[in-house]
Amino acid sequence: MSTPDVRLAEFAARNHGTFSTTHARLLGFTDDLIEHRLAAGRWTALYLNSYRLAGVPPTWQGDLLAACWAGGFRAVASHRSSAALWGLPGGRTMPAEITTPRWLRARHPSVDVHETMAVEGVDLASVDGIPATSVERTLLDLAAVSGDRTVELALDAAERRRLTTAAAVRATLMRLAKPGRRGVRRLRRVLDLYAPEKGMSESEAERLLVRVLRENGLPAPVLQHSIHNGSTFVARVDAAYVDLKIAIEYDSYEHHTGRLALVRDSARRNRLVSLGWAPITATAADLRNGGFVLTAAIRATARLAS
């Protein structure tokens, strides 16, 4: 028969090296044994009634799971912590951020706690063994603590990875929206400006490009537009104003450096020009500085095309 220590080690191995007082008791530890393990340094206290086995390397996932256990059986990772679990822009690993119906324990400086009763079963998920909010609920909560650009990038990343759809996010928004709820207005604004019918971006840079153009008064371009010469494929450009034959390419140093890349890009650009398209390059600097020069170039090209 296995001992409580063996059973606890097996449990901790499945849960990022962490466990709670409740788990220890269920696995056979008495209060005296718990005190002895802590005094002997075999367990490391993380939060009230949450521990990590000594010798197990600390991870942010383990600390987050321990924070959830400290918050009670209905506590879940949320907001920026949940975004980090889902791998979305706007996520952060520290401090741990959780949502619970009621936080009854002493506050801890490394845990941000949100209290609410408005969490339904459909809003819950498990990511890497950690209780968390669903992608849709995470986006709503992220909108309560982040700016429009971050929320838009997170929404775009979630759609690109097929974690959710804009329609599903809007349905969650409609279900949970009420006067005074933080994040509702921002997420609604982002969804109203979001244009999936224009095509799906393939990177955060492309989504930022769309946002910069829109903030400067230009309509959203078509993303990932394929250009053909009759039935022959010529190129797929990052963004395009199709009616004006303006092709916008994001210049990534990662993919556009070296002699071979220069020759390839020049030949591609020449093919586009031969078909009457006007190629315009967008850079990381354009996205950082507001895109004023970029949009001015697009407007000047549009005037020539009209």
Side-chain angles (χ1 to χ4, degrees):
M1 178 180 291
S2 63
T3 65
D5 286 300
V6 170
R7 291 193 293 271
L8 183 65
E10 292 172 346
F11 176 87
R14 298 191 299 271
N15 291 277
H16 303 282
T18 63
F19 56 94
S20 70
T21 301
T22 299
H23 298 130
R25 287 172 176 158
L26 289 173
L27 293 170
F29 284 87
T30 63
D31 289 346
D32 287 343
L33 284 175
I34 291 174
E35 291 182 9
H36 179 269
R37 297 298 185 271
L38 287 170
R42 294 174 64 178
W43 298 357
T44 300
L46 298 177
Y47 307 104
L48 184 63
N49 294 324
S50 295
Y51 315 98
R52 180 176 60 242
L53 285 179
V56 175
T59 64
W60 70 268
Q61 294 94 333
D63 286 350
L64 179 57
L65 181 55
C68 290
W69 283 333
F73 77 99
R74 295 178 63 187
V76 296
S78 64
H79 296 72
R80 285 157 290 206
S81 287
S82 184
L85 285 173
W86 288 108
L88 299 177
R92 72 177 186 194
T93 58
M94 291 295 290
E97 200 162 6
I98 67 173
T99 289
T100 182
R102 188 166 177 81
W103 181 259
L104 300 175
R105 296 168 175 82
R107 299 286 178 175
H108 196 287
S110 61
V111 181
D112 283 349
V113 180
H114 303 268
E115 296 180 30
T116 181
M117 298 297 294
V119 179
E120 304 175 22
V122 70
D123 297 320
L124 302 177
S126 177
V127 186
D128 199 14
I130 300 172
T133 50
S134 66
V135 172
E136 296 81 10
R137 178 57 188 260
T138 297
L139 289 168
L140 174 59
D141 291 339
L142 192 62
V145 294
S146 303
D148 289 20
R149 178 171 292 192
T150 297
V151 176
E152 184 175 6
L153 289 175
L155 172 60
D156 183 61
E159 276 217 313
R160 279 191 284 109
R161 293 171 50 204
R162 292 180 170 84
L163 297 176
T164 189
T165 64
V169 176
R170 189 177 292 277
T172 297
L173 174 65
M174 293 175 64
R175 175 170 56 84
L176 296 174
K178 72 173 186 178
R181 173 158 290 160
R182 296 185 63 197
V184 168
R185 292 180 62 184
R186 173 168 286 116
L187 183 56
R188 180 179 289 121
R189 182 166 62 247
V190 168
L191 283 167
D192 288 345
L193 292 174
Y194 195 66
E197 71 279 1
K198 294 291 188 178
M200 188 74 70
S201 69
E202 291 195 343
S203 68
E204 291 182 17
E206 289 176 18
R207 178 53 59 183
L208 283 173
L209 172 62
V210 173
R211 185 172 185 85
V212 163
L213 297 179
R214 208 168 52 209
E215 288 175 345
N216 282 278
L218 294 178
V222 175
L223 298 178
Q224 295 300 314
H225 178 65
S226 293
I227 297 174
H228 293 78
N229 182 10
S231 60
T232 302
F233 174 80
V234 175
R236 186 174 68 163
V237 296
D238 296 330
Y241 291 108
V242 180
D243 293 343
L244 298 171
K245 283 194 168 185
I246 297 176
I248 306 169
E249 292 277 67
Y250 180 72
D251 189 6
S252 168
Y253 297 116
E254 178 183 356
H255 298 108
H256 298 271
T257 57
R259 181 174 178 179
L260 290 177
L262 178 62
V263 172
R264 180 195 63 214
D265 292 346
S266 297
R268 184 172 180 271
R269 185 182 186 91
N270 290 340
R271 288 196 298 271
L272 292 175
V273 171
S274 70
L275 294 175
W277 282 81
I280 292 179
T281 300
T283 66
D286 288 315
L287 304 187
R288 288 195 302 268
N289 65 23
F292 304 115
V293 175
L294 172 64
T295 51
I298 292 173
R299 284 195 172 94
T301 305
R303 286 194 295 270
L304 292 174
S306 60

